[in-house]
Amino acid sequence: MSSFIRHRRLRSNDSIRRMVREHQVQVDDLIYPLFVVEGENVKNEIPSMPGVYHFSLDRLNEEIDEVVELGIPSIIVFGVPAEKDECGSQADHDHGIVQKAIRQIKENHPSLYVIADTCLCQFTSHGHCGIVENGEILNDPSLERLASTAIAQAQAGADMIAPSNMMDGFVYAIRQGLDEAGFEHIPILSYAVKYASAFYGPFRDAAHSTPQFGDRRSYQMDPANAREAIREAASDVAEGADLLMVKPGLAYLDVIYRVRERFDLPIVAYHVSGEYSMVKAAALNDWVDEEKVVMETMIGFKRAGADLILTYYAKEIAKWLQGGK
Ligand code: PBG
């Protein structure tokens, strides 16, 4: 009997390392976010997110074709409207930018799985995710607007509704609204556990959704809390969520793990804008090996218990996965 344990036996060459590998990242895990804007011939890079663009509808097809070509099964659509108002009327307008984009995408690529982000902050003049009165973000009046936005997205052809607003009861209200409108077959991916995070900074540049007063801490979660994540997820499961999202990703791997331990629903990790921008900036300076750092992050999400990963890196990951075969 040997006097110590030889772990290195199972690491000695690539074949055995492949054989005992516990987790994999596959192209099927990826959800690619897209920003659509009004206007013509727009493909503008977002300054704080090199490699990520605003697309007008007439330039969108080239991007979607590439996503499909790469075998990425799913996208999530974020819309930046030309006009905003107090109640975010473009959010649920039949000709709102998101609805138009979804129709166009589904027409060209019926089998690409299209997820709609359901929130009001890109559409409201105050930049909050709900209805505001006297400087307060009101919960219950927001639910009706959110349900009606989800219905408009489903009518446009969205395959899945992903509400990110963090009002109480949003899954309940949206599920009811969808069911009454005949969309009982459309699943809800709830941003169940969403923290009030500084990592959303570049997204707010991209979506023009920075709150015009105050911050989101009265509805998004305190980064100090983990047990509260279980309460948030439990209520969304009870209200009818089909998948659960944890957001941001990397600073919250423990939360993904805890949610995985408690719930059997598929879990999505959102690798958010700030996480993308930090690695991109370091990579552009040649300070890190971009592919290795990104793939290590992705495997971290899988190891923590995520089934799916929403990431601005999806196209690059898909290419790296092909190259690695
Ligand atoms: C809107 C929303 C946000 C993100 C996705 N949906 C931003 C926010 O709460 O301000 C952030 C995504 C990212 O940073 O990549 N509610």
Side-chain angles (χ1 to χ4, degrees):
M1 200 173 113
S2 47
S3 57
F4 58 90
I5 308 289
R6 294 195 181 273
H7 300 287
R8 293 180 57 191
R9 286 183 195 126
L10 299 186
R11 296 175 196 150
S12 61
N13 63 47
D14 196 49
S15 297
I16 187 64
R17 288 194 293 268
R18 279 167 52 201
M19 289 158 68
V20 299
R21 189 158 291 151
E22 295 175 36
H23 297 281
Q24 313 257 6
V25 178
Q26 300 176 312
V27 70
D28 293 346
D29 302 331
L30 302 172
I31 302 171
Y32 183 57
L34 270 178
F35 294 101
V36 292
V37 297
E38 298 281 4
E40 270 168 40
N41 200 23
V42 182
K43 182 182 176 185
N44 291 342
E45 194 169 55
I46 293 149
S48 54
M49 302 181 75
V52 178
Y53 298 83
H54 279 156
F55 290 97
S56 55
L57 297 183
D58 57 340
R59 296 293 299 275
L60 191 56
N61 288 353
E62 45 189 291
E63 180 77 353
I64 302 284
D65 290 347
E66 194 189 347
V67 169
V68 171
E69 190 100 336
L70 286 167
I72 297 169
S74 173
I75 58 166
I76 182 163
V77 180
F78 295 101
V80 186
E83 281 159 37
K84 305 179 187 234
D85 56 28
E86 277 285 301
C87 66
S89 41
Q90 286 298 304
D92 60 345
H93 196 286
D94 192 40
H95 292 107
I97 181 68
V98 172
Q99 283 70 264
K100 286 193 292 192
I102 294 172
R103 275 199 192 93
Q104 179 179 317
I105 295 165
K106 291 303 289 187
E107 203 169 292
N108 293 322
H109 292 287
S111 62
L112 179 65
Y113 199 85
V114 178
I115 305 174
D117 177 84
T118 307
C119 198
L120 298 178
C121 60
Q122 291 104 289
F123 303 93
T124 51
S125 42
H126 44 72
H128 279 288
C129 307
I131 295 298
V132 170
E133 241 177 64
N134 303 325
E136 229 182 283
I137 298 101
L138 302 180
N139 196 84
D140 299 12
S142 304
L143 297 178
E144 205 179 300
R145 299 283 307 127
L146 291 162
S148 134
T149 300
I151 293 167
Q153 293 167 333
Q155 275 164 348
D159 293 294
M160 182 183 280
I161 298 298
S164 61
N165 53 85
M166 289 299 278
M167 296 297 121
D168 287 330
F170 68 81
V171 174
Y172 176 79
I174 288 173
R175 184 71 274 160
Q176 263 204 328
L178 288 174
D179 290 356
E180 277 164 23
F183 295 110
E184 56 284 298
H185 55 288
I186 300 290
I188 295 177
L189 159 56
S190 173
Y191 285 64
V193 183
K194 179 175 179 181
Y195 287 92
S197 170
F199 287 99
Y200 308 150
F203 176 93
R204 291 179 189 175
D205 289 345
H208 304 159
S209 63
T210 305
Q212 297 303 299
F213 69 89
D215 53 44
R216 303 209 202 288
R217 286 182 297 173
S218 78
Y219 44 107
Q220 298 180 350
M221 285 175 55
D222 183 341
N225 294 354
R227 292 194 306 268
E228 190 185 354
I230 301 299
R231 298 204 296 278
E232 274 284 358
S235 62
D236 287 3
V237 172
E239 291 173 25
D242 299 282
L243 306 89
L244 300 170
M245 176 115 75
V246 175
K247 176 185 176 190
L250 207 45
Y252 299 86
L253 288 181
D254 62 314
V255 177
I256 296 174
Y257 185 78
R258 285 171 198 241
V259 173
R260 168 78 300 151
E261 294 279 285
R262 282 288 280 271
F263 303 97
D264 294 329
L265 296 184
I267 294 176
V268 184
Y270 198 145
H271 183 230
V272 302
S273 58
E275 301 179 70
Y276 172 87
S277 299
M278 289 192 306
V279 177
K280 207 31 124 179
L284 289 170
N285 277 298
D286 273 329
W287 291 341
V288 294
D289 181 325
E290 185 175 32
E291 174 175 347
K292 290 207 170 100
V293 165
V294 171
M295 293 312 287
E296 189 174 327
T297 306
M298 296 303 126
I299 208 71
F301 291 144
K302 299 290 294 197
R303 202 183 58 242
D307 299 285
L308 300 168
I309 303 165
L310 205 172
T311 177
Y312 303 93
Y313 267 113
K315 284 197 312 181
E316 281 152 292
I317 293 169
K319 287 175 204 162
W320 291 328
L321 288 171
Q322 284 175 0
K325 267 180 197 146

